[in-house]
Structure formats: structure tokens, C-alpha cells
Amino acid sequence: MKKISFIIITFLSFFLFNNCEEETIADNVFNYITFGAEGYSTIVPLEGSTTIDVLVLTSKASGSDRTFNVVVDQASTAAAGSYSIPSTVVVPSGSQEGILTLTLSDVDLGIGVNDLVIGFSGEDGLFNGAPTTVSYTQQCNEVAAVLDFTFDFYASETEWSIIDALDSVVASGGGYSNGQGTTSENITLCAGRDYTLTVTDEFSDGMDDGDNIGSYTLTIGGVEKVSGGGAFGASESSSFDTN
């Protein structure tokens, strides 16, 4: 009889524990904080800054202001120093909405997309929604550049690339066909930026086959920015701007 009573008590305890655990999970699911959208995007003015408001939503209103902790996720690829984000967001009394205001600045942005992933730190008794991503780019006023080549015979050995101030490759090309003679590459860059053009030779003798001497010129709006060629060895690099 004692054994049967023990089994019944154990069963009831297990049932009640699991039932309470399920209720706790359900309560958390229906008591949540989340972002108003999966992602946001904006453009940062050249050498300037901008702000963007990220909407925060809660499932319940409260009779007093509530403060929630905000964190930057490790999945972020935004340039360091290009963003300022508050460590907390406030949902006012009687409301289910709060606004997280971010400041984004043109600091080492380059020309790529910067993704800032933000989320909430663990809040007791709350279900935390998925992180949101703020994507931003530096404003780019496009300029057209032309890279003209006159090759030695071995044009297949010639390659080139243009990198920005953050060492990101923004344009590249080559090799070409042996005996090709000349070519022109049309390249789109951004105004007010610093770049580096590097021309390489696979055979490490530059653009000089002993009979023909090659050369190259990069111009923007008819203005020469870079020129080079001849027996430069394995590579030759030149910095230029698009001012």
C-alpha cells in the first residue's frame, strides 16, 4: 500500500511540475519584447552622420516606464566607430512601443554595406524576439574612370586591381590575349575617395618583352590620375583620389 501511494504521489508531482513548466513557457511566449522589423537601411552622408529610429514592441503595457538592455551581436560587420547605439531602450508607461535611436557616421565606411546586428540581452520572464539588422552605406556620388592599356606582346601576364582606403577591391581585370595591343576599361568609382591602382605582371618583368614596351593611364573626366608601365617588375602601385 505504501508503495502504491508513493507511485501516485510521484506521478502527481511529475504532472504538476511539467504543467507549471509549460505554463511558464507559455507565459514567456505571450510576454515578449521584439523589434518592429527584421531590418532597416539608410545612407550616411559623405563625411557626415545620420540617425535612424528602430521600433521596439512589447506584448504588454505597464503602469511605469520599463528599460530593456540592448546589445550588438557578434554577427555585425559594421565598421568600428561608425555607429553609436544606446545600451538601453525605454518603453514608456502605458505604452507597448519604444524607440531606439542610432547614430551612424562616415567613419571608415568604405563603399560596401555595413550590417549592424542588434538584439536584447536576456530579460527575465520575457521572450526575446529575433535580432534586427541595420544596413547602411556611405553616400556615393559616382564618377567614371577610364583605364587605358598599351600592352607588350604578353598581355596575358597583365592584371590590375583598384582598392579603396579600407583595402577592399572595388574593380579588377586581366589577363588579356597575347598580341592584343590595347584595351580600355570603364570603371565606376565614388567621388571624394582615395584609391590605389596596382598593375601586376605574372612573369615579373613588367610590361616590357624586350621588343615592345607597354604602358597604362587612368583618367577621370579627361584628367590623368595615374600612369605607368615599362619594366616595373612583378607589380606597380599608385595612389590617387577622385576629388
Side-chain angles (χ1 to χ4, degrees), residues 66-197:
R66 288 171 293 167
T67 302
F68 302 97
N69 296 319
V70 179
V71 294
V72 176
D73 194 279
Q74 292 182 347
S76 297
T77 59
S82 67
Y83 58 87
S84 176
I85 175 172
S87 59
T88 59
V89 59
V90 175
V91 176
S93 170
S95 176
Q96 293 174 252
E97 298 183 0
I99 296 295
L100 178 68
T101 300
L102 283 62
T103 301
L104 309 173
S105 304
D106 181 16
V107 178
D108 293 335
L109 291 188
I111 65 172
V113 177
N114 293 262
D115 287 330
L116 178 62
V117 184
I118 54 178
F120 302 104
S121 62
E123 302 288 346
D124 292 338
L126 280 179
F127 174 78
N128 294 330
T132 189
T133 300
V134 179
S135 301
Y136 54 103
T137 58
Q138 185 189 60
Q139 181 182 24
C140 176
N141 298 320
E142 295 183 349
V143 296
V146 179
L147 180 58
D148 293 311
F149 282 102
T150 298
F151 300 109
D152 62 5
F153 178 80
Y154 299 102
S156 63
E157 299 174 357
T158 300
E159 296 185 356
W160 61 273
S161 64
I162 294 177
I163 64 173
D164 62 14
L166 297 179
D167 292 331
S168 298
V169 176
V170 298
S172 61
Y176 301 90
S177 300
N178 288 339
Q180 180 171 339
T182 64
T183 194
S184 291
E185 300 278 5
N186 295 310
I187 306 163
T188 300
L189 301 173
C190 293
R193 309 283 179 87
D194 294 321
Y195 296 96
T196 299
L197 168 65

